Amino acid sequence: MSTHVETARRLLSAAAVRERAHEMLALAEAGGLTEWRLDLSRLEAAADLTAETVRANYPDLKVPFHARWRMFVAGGRDLWAEADKPSDPMELGRTAFDLVIPSVLLDAGAGPTWRYADAATGVTIGRSEGLGIASLRMFEAGAMSSDPSDPLKADALEQVTAAAVAEHFQVCDDNPMVGLEGRAELLRSLGRAVGRPAALFDIMVKHAEGGKLPAPTILSVLLDALGPIWPGRLSLDGQPLGDCWKHPAVDGHVPLHKLSQWMSYSLIEPLQWAGIEVIDIDGLTGLAEYRNGGLFVDMGVLVLKDAEDAGRAHAVDSPLVVGWRSLTVALLDRLAPMVRDRLGLTAAEFPLARVLEGGSWAAGRRIAKQRRADGGPPIAVISDGTVF
């Protein structure tokens, strides 16, 4: 195996994301990043806010995993729980993969003004929850199926158009969405790469040993299967690297794999429903996205060296954004034990997937609403709909 092939395989892992993130954090601690200054004294306040948010959202501290399934709730109703689903556990797992994998790919930030009006519940909602409900309704309508009489499957993704996404997501001149064509092309690319997402369920089941599957293996399967779907990304000896970037302060690549890890967290429950025990959940990392990252900026843990950068839009491959995202992963590792201490819980009781859900993501949204009228992130990122 060539050195480049070995390097590419290494980059396609959660361990590589975590290792590089902590290297980036060490650089920041030493003052070695041009764009960011670190103030770790503010991490205590960030932990206070996160723990307070967990208690407010989940007074019994029974926090579910951070997963797409949390976004299928409207008006207090769990719409996935209400759906007419297969009773066979394996078929349920396949159907869940067919829903949640496209749904995660459709989850990139829609912009501050887009909203979805759900007729069944009467709820009008934006951002991730709106995107989640819209994707669920699109799936239930059979828009991803080749057979109208069998709507709950996603075997016709290659035929999905931007117009179809616009129709099901209620996009119009008065309700614009960022990255519409990028979303549609991601679904088509997913169809070309894997056919039906349910196929990945069967692959993961085969990887389970003694009925147990490590969470990092879920990510490895996804990164191997989905590598070709990301547009305009870096590659190494023909191996697509996905959500992986370059930064002038480090030698080599900066892997992040945000959407793929968000997807991995979201696939844990379908595998559990099928009787697979998912282990080593903390082998995955925190998510390098704007809610978690925004928490650290808004709480003063991460400070822009050039204050005017806050008013500029930045490319997703810029050193400022790549550094911000990587630092977010490492800071979440620092934040998690502090939050557990405040809640009186152990790492086994409160893995990172619960810290994120309870949690840092919600606290990031909360502080954003306090700081900015639109509740948007503190850093404007030029996105094609495939990263955030």
Side-chain angles (χ1 to χ4, degrees):
M1 188 181 295
S2 75
T3 301
H4 279 176
V5 172
E6 291 175 355
T7 300
R9 287 181 181 251
R10 171 68 180 163
L11 288 168
L12 297 174
S13 70
V17 174
R18 178 165 273 123
E19 180 181 311
R20 183 63 85 189
H22 284 278
E23 182 181 339
M24 192 75 75
L25 185 63
L27 283 168
E29 285 188 88
L33 296 184
T34 302
E35 301 80 21
W36 293 103
R37 179 171 62 80
L38 194 63
D39 183 356
L40 289 178
S41 70
R42 295 293 302 160
L43 205 52
E44 294 285 346
D48 288 341
L49 178 66
T50 303
E52 179 187 328
T53 303
V54 172
R55 290 191 182 279
N57 290 342
Y58 299 95
D60 59 4
L61 301 184
K62 294 180 179 178
V63 181
F65 292 148
H66 192 53
R68 191 61 168 156
W69 305 102
R70 312 288 85 79
M71 306 297 182
F72 298 143
V73 176
R77 291 167 53 182
D78 185 334
L79 304 182
W80 170 247
E82 294 178 6
D84 186 15
K85 302 180 290 293
S87 56
D88 176 77
M90 298 297 280
E91 279 304 312
L92 176 61
R94 294 184 185 102
T95 299
F97 269 51
D98 271 358
L99 164 62
V100 84
I101 290 176
S103 180
V104 167
L105 294 183
L106 291 165
D107 189 42
T113 62
W114 176 82
R115 297 289 185 272
Y116 181 77
D118 185 53
T121 60
V123 169
T124 298
I125 191 167
R127 301 202 181 272
S128 284
E129 290 86 350
L131 290 166
I133 295 165
S135 64
L136 172 63
R137 296 308 192 197
M138 182 177 178
F139 179 71
E140 290 177 329
M144 304 177 196
S145 172
S146 64
D147 182 359
S149 68
D150 186 13
L152 298 187
K153 63 181 181 181
D155 63 343
L157 291 171
E158 289 184 64
Q159 277 69 57
V160 174
T161 64
V165 176
E167 176 188 352
H168 288 280
F169 282 64
Q170 302 172 354
V171 178
C172 60
D173 290 344
D174 293 333
N175 193 34
M177 172 182 283
V178 175
L180 185 62
E181 179 55 48
R183 294 168 207 273
E185 178 55 28
L186 266 186
L187 293 189
R188 292 192 294 268
S189 296
L190 174 63
R192 290 191 291 269
V194 305
R196 184 181 169 188
L200 298 178
F201 172 82
D202 293 314
I203 292 172
M204 291 181 197
V205 169
K206 288 178 182 176
H207 275 84
E209 296 184 6
K212 297 182 179 181
L213 182 69
T217 301
I218 298 174
L219 178 64
S220 295
V221 170
L222 289 178
L223 292 176
D224 184 57
L226 304 187
I229 78 173
W230 309 108
R233 298 293 172 78
L234 299 174
S235 62
L236 198 58
D237 270 8
Q239 173 68 58
L241 298 179
D243 187 6
C244 192
W245 311 88
K246 301 287 282 186
H247 192 284
V250 299
D251 181 22
H253 296 79
V254 181
L256 295 163
H257 306 311
K258 179 261 173 176
L259 271 177
S260 298
Q261 293 207 80
W262 172 228
M263 193 180 291
S264 298
Y265 282 121
S266 301
L267 297 178
I268 292 172
E269 286 158 270
L271 288 161
Q272 291 175 330
W273 300 335
I276 303 296
E277 182 184 353
V278 179
I279 60 175
D280 191 19
I281 293 172
D282 272 358
L284 299 175
T285 77
L287 301 181
E289 51 80 60
Y290 70 83
R291 287 303 182 203
N292 290 308
L295 170 67
F296 296 121
V297 174
D298 283 335
M299 294 303 296
V301 181
L302 289 174
V303 182
L304 288 165
K305 287 186 174 179
D306 182 352
E308 291 187 3
D309 274 333
R312 303 182 180 117
H314 302 274
V316 73
D317 62 350
S318 66
L320 185 147
V321 173
V322 174
W324 179 36
R325 298 180 71 208
S326 188
L327 289 166
T328 295
V329 171
L331 287 170
L332 285 167
D333 278 349
R334 294 275 188 100
L335 182 78
M338 298 169 69
V339 173
R340 293 181 191 119
D341 286 347
R342 284 158 171 76
L343 298 176
L345 297 171
T346 65
E349 294 168 327
F350 211 68
L352 188 56
R354 301 192 200 279
V355 176
L356 294 170
E357 176 61 27
S360 59
W361 187 90
R365 170 180 277 186
R366 180 178 171 185
I367 190 68
K369 287 181 178 178
Q370 293 174 11
R371 297 292 172 87
R372 288 167 295 281
D374 68 355
I379 307 295
V381 179
I382 303 166
S383 174
D384 62 1
T386 65
V387 173
F388 287 104

